[in-house]
């Protein structure tokens, strides 16, 4: 069985602060994929990043960065210099290599105050 | 702009009504999905179509009936719904089985009265 845990339910910060969202996963698959999605109040789930289990390189995209550590089964997400537009629910998700089903974490609600 | 288009954006229906949700994608994806999302919860998978054939039905009640007329379109027919079916219904598509990111539409906010 696959499981994704996002222990932080809500995070509130002031603009320009950094925010780190934790994601811990469980799987028995040797090949798997990890994802982060953003869901703003409008409702659409926006794909942010995919990582496969063989690629532990960290990635940076603008103000977003991701830290994948297989040793601790974690795939954490950091928003640097947060902005009000970053306010959303962020979901971490996991799938196997031959699996249609995405296992979502419970989500972390990020509120960035001006 | 989203590449997966869902209509309508909002729908209010009575328990005796019949309505349909529509989803369209033009990315050439061969897998399409329906998800249901309640407030403050993650999306829950309902159905998966692969190459226009139903691959997965997550034990969804028969009052929800999916249909995939062609590789670009996905419908969800609703009949005799209950108030607890009120939720955000999300359509998604992906390029292949497993590992391919899902691209979601904006969703339909359904209220059953």
């Amino acid at each position: 069985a696959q499981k994704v845990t996002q222990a932080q339910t809500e995070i509130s910060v002031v603009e320009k602060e950094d925010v780190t969202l934790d994601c811990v996963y469980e799987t028995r698959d040797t090949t798997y994929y990890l994802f982060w999605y953003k869901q703003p109040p409008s409702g659409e789930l926006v794909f942010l990043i995919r990582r496969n289990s063989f690629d532990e390189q960290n990635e940076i995209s603008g103000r977003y960065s991701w830290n994948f550590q297989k040793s601790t089964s974690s795939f954490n997400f950091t928003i640097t210099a947060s902005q009000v537009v970053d306010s959303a629910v962020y979901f971490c998700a996991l799938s196997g290599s031959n699996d249609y089903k995405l296992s979502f974490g419970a989500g972390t609600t990020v509120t960035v105050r001006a | 702009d989203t590449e997966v288009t869902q209509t309508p954006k909002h729908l209010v229906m009575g328990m005796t009504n019949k309505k349909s949700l529509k989803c369209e994608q033009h990315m050439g994806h061969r897998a399409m999905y329906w998800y249901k999302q309640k407030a403050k919860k993650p999306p829950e998978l309902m159905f998966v179509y692969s190459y226009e054939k139903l691959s997965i039905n997550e034990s969804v009640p028969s009052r929800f009936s999916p249909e995939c007329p062609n590789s670009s379109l996905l419908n969800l027919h609703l009949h005799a719904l209950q108030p607890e079916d009120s939720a955000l219904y999300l359509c998604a598509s992906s390029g292949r089985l497993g590992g391919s990111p899902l691209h979601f539409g904006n969703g339909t906010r359904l209220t059953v009265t």
Side-chain angles (χ1 to χ4, degrees), chain B residues 11-17 36 38 61-64 78-87 89 110-113:
Chain B
L11 179 62
V12 179
M13 61 185 289
M15 290 189 285
T16 58
N17 291 158
K36 173 183 177 180
K38 301 286 271 186
S62 59
R63 57 185 184 269
F64 295 91
L78 314 172
H79 174 54
L81 294 193
Q82 304 297 310
E84 59 264 29
D85 296 322
S86 298
Y89 288 84
L110 174 67
T111 303
V112 181
T113 61

PDB file of all heavy atoms in Angstrom, chain B residues 11-17 36 38 61-64 78-87 89 110-113:
ATOM      1  N   LEU B  11     -23.079  23.876 -10.765  1.00  0.00           N
ATOM      2  CA  LEU B  11     -24.324  23.170 -11.076  1.00  0.00           C
ATOM      3  C   LEU B  11     -25.085  22.932  -9.785  1.00  0.00           C
ATOM      4  O   LEU B  11     -24.534  22.423  -8.816  1.00  0.00           O
ATOM      5  CB  LEU B  11     -24.023  21.834 -11.756  1.00  0.00           C
ATOM      6  CG  LEU B  11     -25.213  20.954 -12.121  1.00  0.00           C
ATOM      7  CD1 LEU B  11     -26.118  21.663 -13.116  1.00  0.00           C
ATOM      8  CD2 LEU B  11     -24.744  19.619 -12.685  1.00  0.00           C
ATOM      9  N   VAL B  12     -26.342  23.331  -9.815  1.00  0.00           N
ATOM     10  CA  VAL B  12     -27.246  23.045  -8.692  1.00  0.00           C
ATOM     11  C   VAL B  12     -28.338  22.149  -9.233  1.00  0.00           C
ATOM     12  O   VAL B  12     -28.955  22.452 -10.256  1.00  0.00           O
ATOM     13  CB  VAL B  12     -27.864  24.338  -8.109  1.00  0.00           C
ATOM     14  CG1 VAL B  12     -28.821  23.983  -6.960  1.00  0.00           C
ATOM     15  CG2 VAL B  12     -26.778  25.285  -7.624  1.00  0.00           C
ATOM     16  N   MET B  13     -28.573  21.028  -8.597  1.00  0.00           N
ATOM     17  CA  MET B  13     -29.584  20.102  -9.084  1.00  0.00           C
ATOM     18  C   MET B  13     -30.348  19.486  -7.933  1.00  0.00           C
ATOM     19  O   MET B  13     -29.817  19.323  -6.820  1.00  0.00           O
ATOM     20  CB  MET B  13     -28.962  19.009  -9.969  1.00  0.00           C
ATOM     21  CG  MET B  13     -27.950  18.139  -9.289  1.00  0.00           C
ATOM     22  SD  MET B  13     -27.155  16.977 -10.435  1.00  0.00           S
ATOM     23  CE  MET B  13     -28.491  15.823 -10.783  1.00  0.00           C
ATOM     24  N   GLY B  14     -31.595  19.145  -8.209  1.00  0.00           N
ATOM     25  CA  GLY B  14     -32.415  18.463  -7.236  1.00  0.00           C
ATOM     26  C   GLY B  14     -32.160  16.966  -7.288  1.00  0.00           C
ATOM     27  O   GLY B  14     -31.535  16.448  -8.211  1.00  0.00           O
ATOM     28  N   MET B  15     -32.625  16.282  -6.286  1.00  0.00           N
ATOM     29  CA  MET B  15     -32.349  14.855  -6.169  1.00  0.00           C
ATOM     30  C   MET B  15     -33.036  14.022  -7.249  1.00  0.00           C
ATOM     31  O   MET B  15     -32.651  12.884  -7.494  1.00  0.00           O
ATOM     32  CB  MET B  15     -32.742  14.364  -4.773  1.00  0.00           C
ATOM     33  CG  MET B  15     -31.823  14.878  -3.671  1.00  0.00           C
ATOM     34  SD  MET B  15     -32.122  14.120  -2.076  1.00  0.00           S
ATOM     35  CE  MET B  15     -33.619  14.953  -1.598  1.00  0.00           C
ATOM     36  N   THR B  16     -34.021  14.596  -7.925  1.00  0.00           N
ATOM     37  CA  THR B  16     -34.703  13.832  -8.977  1.00  0.00           C
ATOM     38  C   THR B  16     -34.210  14.209 -10.373  1.00  0.00           C
ATOM     39  O   THR B  16     -34.653  13.641 -11.371  1.00  0.00           O
ATOM     40  CB  THR B  16     -36.217  14.046  -8.901  1.00  0.00           C
ATOM     41  OG1 THR B  16     -36.478  15.457  -9.038  1.00  0.00           O
ATOM     42  CG2 THR B  16     -36.772  13.547  -7.570  1.00  0.00           C
ATOM     43  N   ASN B  17     -33.315  15.173 -10.441  1.00  0.00           N
ATOM     44  CA  ASN B  17     -32.829  15.644 -11.745  1.00  0.00           C
ATOM     45  C   ASN B  17     -31.845  14.676 -12.383  1.00  0.00           C
ATOM     46  O   ASN B  17     -31.219  13.846 -11.711  1.00  0.00           O
ATOM     47  CB  ASN B  17     -32.136  16.997 -11.590  1.00  0.00           C
ATOM     48  CG  ASN B  17     -33.084  18.126 -11.247  1.00  0.00           C
ATOM     49  OD1 ASN B  17     -32.658  19.141 -10.714  1.00  0.00           O
ATOM     50  ND2 ASN B  17     -34.368  17.963 -11.528  1.00  0.00           N
ATOM     51  N   LYS B  36     -13.500  13.189  -7.308  1.00  0.00           N
ATOM     52  CA  LYS B  36     -14.445  13.919  -6.460  1.00  0.00           C
ATOM     53  C   LYS B  36     -13.651  14.502  -5.290  1.00  0.00           C
ATOM     54  O   LYS B  36     -12.812  13.814  -4.692  1.00  0.00           O
ATOM     55  CB  LYS B  36     -15.504  12.957  -5.929  1.00  0.00           C
ATOM     56  CG  LYS B  36     -16.454  13.555  -4.902  1.00  0.00           C
ATOM     57  CD  LYS B  36     -17.421  12.491  -4.398  1.00  0.00           C
ATOM     58  CE  LYS B  36     -18.343  13.019  -3.316  1.00  0.00           C
ATOM     59  NZ  LYS B  36     -19.276  11.970  -2.845  1.00  0.00           N
ATOM     60  N   LYS B  38     -14.207  16.702  -1.691  1.00  0.00           N
ATOM     61  CA  LYS B  38     -14.978  17.384  -0.665  1.00  0.00           C
ATOM     62  C   LYS B  38     -14.094  18.476  -0.060  1.00  0.00           C
ATOM     63  O   LYS B  38     -12.863  18.428  -0.124  1.00  0.00           O
ATOM     64  CB  LYS B  38     -15.420  16.393   0.412  1.00  0.00           C
ATOM     65  CG  LYS B  38     -16.270  15.241  -0.107  1.00  0.00           C
ATOM     66  CD  LYS B  38     -17.667  15.675  -0.444  1.00  0.00           C
ATOM     67  CE  LYS B  38     -18.589  15.576   0.747  1.00  0.00           C
ATOM     68  NZ  LYS B  38     -19.996  15.882   0.368  1.00  0.00           N
ATOM     69  N   PRO B  61     -21.087   4.606  -6.668  1.00  0.00           N
ATOM     70  CA  PRO B  61     -22.516   4.268  -6.810  1.00  0.00           C
ATOM     71  C   PRO B  61     -23.002   4.462  -8.232  1.00  0.00           C
ATOM     72  O   PRO B  61     -22.522   5.348  -8.961  1.00  0.00           O
ATOM     73  CB  PRO B  61     -23.196   5.256  -5.855  1.00  0.00           C
ATOM     74  CG  PRO B  61     -22.153   5.655  -4.887  1.00  0.00           C
ATOM     75  CD  PRO B  61     -20.851   5.600  -5.622  1.00  0.00           C
ATOM     76  N   SER B  62     -23.985   3.662  -8.632  1.00  0.00           N
ATOM     77  CA  SER B  62     -24.464   3.670 -10.015  1.00  0.00           C
ATOM     78  C   SER B  62     -25.193   4.950 -10.396  1.00  0.00           C
ATOM     79  O   SER B  62     -25.470   5.166 -11.578  1.00  0.00           O
ATOM     80  CB  SER B  62     -25.390   2.470 -10.244  1.00  0.00           C
ATOM     81  OG  SER B  62     -26.481   2.542  -9.357  1.00  0.00           O
ATOM     82  N   ARG B  63     -25.493   5.801  -9.437  1.00  0.00           N
ATOM     83  CA  ARG B  63     -26.103   7.083  -9.789  1.00  0.00           C
ATOM     84  C   ARG B  63     -25.103   8.005 -10.509  1.00  0.00           C
ATOM     85  O   ARG B  63     -25.476   9.036 -11.052  1.00  0.00           O
ATOM     86  CB  ARG B  63     -26.668   7.773  -8.542  1.00  0.00           C
ATOM     87  CG  ARG B  63     -25.684   8.027  -7.428  1.00  0.00           C
ATOM     88  CD  ARG B  63     -26.427   8.602  -6.209  1.00  0.00           C
ATOM     89  NE  ARG B  63     -25.525   8.958  -5.117  1.00  0.00           N
ATOM     90  CZ  ARG B  63     -25.192   8.124  -4.138  1.00  0.00           C
ATOM     91  NH1 ARG B  63     -25.683   6.886  -4.121  1.00  0.00           N
ATOM     92  NH2 ARG B  63     -24.377   8.523  -3.178  1.00  0.00           N
ATOM     93  N   PHE B  64     -23.828   7.612 -10.520  1.00  0.00           N
ATOM     94  CA  PHE B  64     -22.807   8.273 -11.329  1.00  0.00           C
ATOM     95  C   PHE B  64     -22.476   7.347 -12.494  1.00  0.00           C
ATOM     96  O   PHE B  64     -22.061   6.193 -12.274  1.00  0.00           O
ATOM     97  CB  PHE B  64     -21.532   8.518 -10.515  1.00  0.00           C
ATOM     98  CG  PHE B  64     -21.698   9.483  -9.378  1.00  0.00           C
ATOM     99  CD1 PHE B  64     -22.047   9.019  -8.115  1.00  0.00           C
ATOM    100  CD2 PHE B  64     -21.504  10.841  -9.566  1.00  0.00           C
ATOM    101  CE1 PHE B  64     -22.206   9.909  -7.058  1.00  0.00           C
ATOM    102  CE2 PHE B  64     -21.656  11.733  -8.521  1.00  0.00           C
ATOM    103  CZ  PHE B  64     -22.005  11.275  -7.258  1.00  0.00           C
ATOM    104  N   LEU B  78     -25.262  12.194 -14.205  1.00  0.00           N
ATOM    105  CA  LEU B  78     -25.701  12.199 -12.807  1.00  0.00           C
ATOM    106  C   LEU B  78     -27.203  11.980 -12.736  1.00  0.00           C
ATOM    107  O   LEU B  78     -27.968  12.618 -13.480  1.00  0.00           O
ATOM    108  CB  LEU B  78     -25.357  13.558 -12.164  1.00  0.00           C
ATOM    109  CG  LEU B  78     -23.958  14.104 -12.428  1.00  0.00           C
ATOM    110  CD1 LEU B  78     -23.841  15.537 -11.896  1.00  0.00           C
ATOM    111  CD2 LEU B  78     -22.913  13.203 -11.809  1.00  0.00           C
ATOM    112  N   HIS B  79     -27.628  11.094 -11.855  1.00  0.00           N
ATOM    113  CA  HIS B  79     -29.059  10.810 -11.737  1.00  0.00           C
ATOM    114  C   HIS B  79     -29.387  10.394 -10.312  1.00  0.00           C
ATOM    115  O   HIS B  79     -28.707   9.549  -9.739  1.00  0.00           O
ATOM    116  CB  HIS B  79     -29.457   9.711 -12.713  1.00  0.00           C
ATOM    117  CG  HIS B  79     -30.867   9.265 -12.553  1.00  0.00           C
ATOM    118  ND1 HIS B  79     -31.946  10.136 -12.582  1.00  0.00           N
ATOM    119  CD2 HIS B  79     -31.408   8.039 -12.343  1.00  0.00           C
ATOM    120  CE1 HIS B  79     -33.062   9.459 -12.407  1.00  0.00           C
ATOM    121  NE2 HIS B  79     -32.773   8.187 -12.261  1.00  0.00           N
ATOM    122  N   ALA B  80     -30.429  10.993  -9.768  1.00  0.00           N
ATOM    123  CA  ALA B  80     -30.896  10.642  -8.419  1.00  0.00           C
ATOM    124  C   ALA B  80     -29.801  10.794  -7.374  1.00  0.00           C
ATOM    125  O   ALA B  80     -29.567   9.894  -6.554  1.00  0.00           O
ATOM    126  CB  ALA B  80     -31.467   9.223  -8.403  1.00  0.00           C
ATOM    127  N   LEU B  81     -29.125  11.931  -7.437  1.00  0.00           N
ATOM    128  CA  LEU B  81     -28.036  12.162  -6.480  1.00  0.00           C
ATOM    129  C   LEU B  81     -28.586  12.507  -5.103  1.00  0.00           C
ATOM    130  O   LEU B  81     -29.750  12.882  -4.945  1.00  0.00           O
ATOM    131  CB  LEU B  81     -27.133  13.285  -6.975  1.00  0.00           C
ATOM    132  CG  LEU B  81     -26.335  13.020  -8.246  1.00  0.00           C
ATOM    133  CD1 LEU B  81     -25.257  14.086  -8.422  1.00  0.00           C
ATOM    134  CD2 LEU B  81     -25.710  11.641  -8.251  1.00  0.00           C
ATOM    135  N   GLN B  82     -27.709  12.397  -4.127  1.00  0.00           N
ATOM    136  CA  GLN B  82     -28.021  12.705  -2.747  1.00  0.00           C
ATOM    137  C   GLN B  82     -27.300  13.990  -2.334  1.00  0.00           C
ATOM    138  O   GLN B  82     -26.265  14.340  -2.914  1.00  0.00           O
ATOM    139  CB  GLN B  82     -27.572  11.552  -1.836  1.00  0.00           C
ATOM    140  CG  GLN B  82     -28.171  10.207  -2.211  1.00  0.00           C
ATOM    141  CD  GLN B  82     -29.669  10.214  -2.062  1.00  0.00           C
ATOM    142  OE1 GLN B  82     -30.204  10.610  -1.034  1.00  0.00           O
ATOM    143  NE2 GLN B  82     -30.368   9.783  -3.115  1.00  0.00           N
ATOM    144  N   PRO B  83     -27.785  14.686  -1.317  1.00  0.00           N
ATOM    145  CA  PRO B  83     -27.088  15.906  -0.876  1.00  0.00           C
ATOM    146  C   PRO B  83     -25.613  15.669  -0.538  1.00  0.00           C
ATOM    147  O   PRO B  83     -24.790  16.561  -0.766  1.00  0.00           O
ATOM    148  CB  PRO B  83     -27.894  16.329   0.357  1.00  0.00           C
ATOM    149  CG  PRO B  83     -29.266  15.822   0.096  1.00  0.00           C
ATOM    150  CD  PRO B  83     -29.070  14.503  -0.624  1.00  0.00           C
ATOM    151  N   GLU B  84     -25.275  14.480  -0.060  1.00  0.00           N
ATOM    152  CA  GLU B  84     -23.871  14.209   0.290  1.00  0.00           C
ATOM    153  C   GLU B  84     -22.968  14.077  -0.931  1.00  0.00           C
ATOM    154  O   GLU B  84     -21.740  14.000  -0.802  1.00  0.00           O
ATOM    155  CB  GLU B  84     -23.741  12.951   1.153  1.00  0.00           C
ATOM    156  CG  GLU B  84     -24.280  11.681   0.514  1.00  0.00           C
ATOM    157  CD  GLU B  84     -25.699  11.380   0.941  1.00  0.00           C
ATOM    158  OE1 GLU B  84     -26.462  12.331   1.252  1.00  0.00           O
ATOM    159  OE2 GLU B  84     -26.057  10.183   0.956  1.00  0.00           O
ATOM    160  N   ASP B  85     -23.581  14.062  -2.120  1.00  0.00           N
ATOM    161  CA  ASP B  85     -22.794  14.048  -3.357  1.00  0.00           C
ATOM    162  C   ASP B  85     -22.319  15.441  -3.748  1.00  0.00           C
ATOM    163  O   ASP B  85     -21.555  15.588  -4.718  1.00  0.00           O
ATOM    164  CB  ASP B  85     -23.611  13.446  -4.501  1.00  0.00           C
ATOM    165  CG  ASP B  85     -23.967  11.988  -4.259  1.00  0.00           C
ATOM    166  OD1 ASP B  85     -23.121  11.252  -3.713  1.00  0.00           O
ATOM    167  OD2 ASP B  85     -25.108  11.597  -4.602  1.00  0.00           O
ATOM    168  N   SER B  86     -22.761  16.440  -3.025  1.00  0.00           N
ATOM    169  CA  SER B  86     -22.298  17.802  -3.298  1.00  0.00           C
ATOM    170  C   SER B  86     -20.793  17.871  -3.074  1.00  0.00           C
ATOM    171  O   SER B  86     -20.291  17.460  -2.020  1.00  0.00           O
ATOM    172  CB  SER B  86     -23.004  18.798  -2.361  1.00  0.00           C
ATOM    173  OG  SER B  86     -24.399  18.783  -2.568  1.00  0.00           O
ATOM    174  N   ALA B  87     -20.075  18.360  -4.074  1.00  0.00           N
ATOM    175  CA  ALA B  87     -18.609  18.355  -4.020  1.00  0.00           C
ATOM    176  C   ALA B  87     -18.079  19.070  -5.250  1.00  0.00           C
ATOM    177  O   ALA B  87     -18.829  19.504  -6.126  1.00  0.00           O
ATOM    178  CB  ALA B  87     -18.063  16.923  -3.980  1.00  0.00           C
ATOM    179  N   TYR B  89     -16.128  18.354  -8.602  1.00  0.00           N
ATOM    180  CA  TYR B  89     -15.806  17.222  -9.465  1.00  0.00           C
ATOM    181  C   TYR B  89     -14.744  17.667 -10.461  1.00  0.00           C
ATOM    182  O   TYR B  89     -14.931  18.609 -11.223  1.00  0.00           O
ATOM    183  CB  TYR B  89     -17.064  16.699 -10.166  1.00  0.00           C
ATOM    184  CG  TYR B  89     -17.954  15.984  -9.180  1.00  0.00           C
ATOM    185  CD1 TYR B  89     -18.843  16.704  -8.393  1.00  0.00           C
ATOM    186  CD2 TYR B  89     -17.848  14.605  -8.991  1.00  0.00           C
ATOM    187  CE1 TYR B  89     -19.631  16.057  -7.443  1.00  0.00           C
ATOM    188  CE2 TYR B  89     -18.631  13.955  -8.043  1.00  0.00           C
ATOM    189  CZ  TYR B  89     -19.510  14.689  -7.270  1.00  0.00           C
ATOM    190  OH  TYR B  89     -20.278  14.052  -6.328  1.00  0.00           O
ATOM    191  N   LEU B 110     -20.623  21.130  -7.671  1.00  0.00           N
ATOM    192  CA  LEU B 110     -21.968  20.565  -7.712  1.00  0.00           C
ATOM    193  C   LEU B 110     -22.632  20.692  -6.348  1.00  0.00           C
ATOM    194  O   LEU B 110     -22.052  20.321  -5.325  1.00  0.00           O
ATOM    195  CB  LEU B 110     -21.902  19.088  -8.106  1.00  0.00           C
ATOM    196  CG  LEU B 110     -23.221  18.323  -8.054  1.00  0.00           C
ATOM    197  CD1 LEU B 110     -24.178  18.826  -9.119  1.00  0.00           C
ATOM    198  CD2 LEU B 110     -22.982  16.830  -8.216  1.00  0.00           C
ATOM    199  N   THR B 111     -23.861  21.210  -6.374  1.00  0.00           N
ATOM    200  CA  THR B 111     -24.674  21.263  -5.158  1.00  0.00           C
ATOM    201  C   THR B 111     -25.958  20.491  -5.416  1.00  0.00           C
ATOM    202  O   THR B 111     -26.666  20.773  -6.398  1.00  0.00           O
ATOM    203  CB  THR B 111     -25.018  22.712  -4.774  1.00  0.00           C
ATOM    204  OG1 THR B 111     -23.809  23.453  -4.604  1.00  0.00           O
ATOM    205  CG2 THR B 111     -25.821  22.756  -3.477  1.00  0.00           C
ATOM    206  N   VAL B 112     -26.247  19.527  -4.575  1.00  0.00           N
ATOM    207  CA  VAL B 112     -27.466  18.731  -4.694  1.00  0.00           C
ATOM    208  C   VAL B 112     -28.426  19.159  -3.593  1.00  0.00           C
ATOM    209  O   VAL B 112     -28.086  19.115  -2.408  1.00  0.00           O
ATOM    210  CB  VAL B 112     -27.172  17.228  -4.568  1.00  0.00           C
ATOM    211  CG1 VAL B 112     -28.467  16.425  -4.728  1.00  0.00           C
ATOM    212  CG2 VAL B 112     -26.135  16.794  -5.592  1.00  0.00           C
ATOM    213  N   THR B 113     -29.608  19.616  -4.006  1.00  0.00           N
ATOM    214  CA  THR B 113     -30.577  20.135  -3.018  1.00  0.00           C
ATOM    215  C   THR B 113     -31.731  19.152  -2.809  1.00  0.00           C
ATOM    216  O   THR B 113     -31.946  18.253  -3.625  1.00  0.00           O
ATOM    217  CB  THR B 113     -31.137  21.483  -3.472  1.00  0.00           C
ATOM    218  OG1 THR B 113     -31.809  21.282  -4.719  1.00  0.00           O
ATOM    219  CG2 THR B 113     -30.033  22.502  -3.655  1.00  0.00           C
TER     220      THR B 113
END
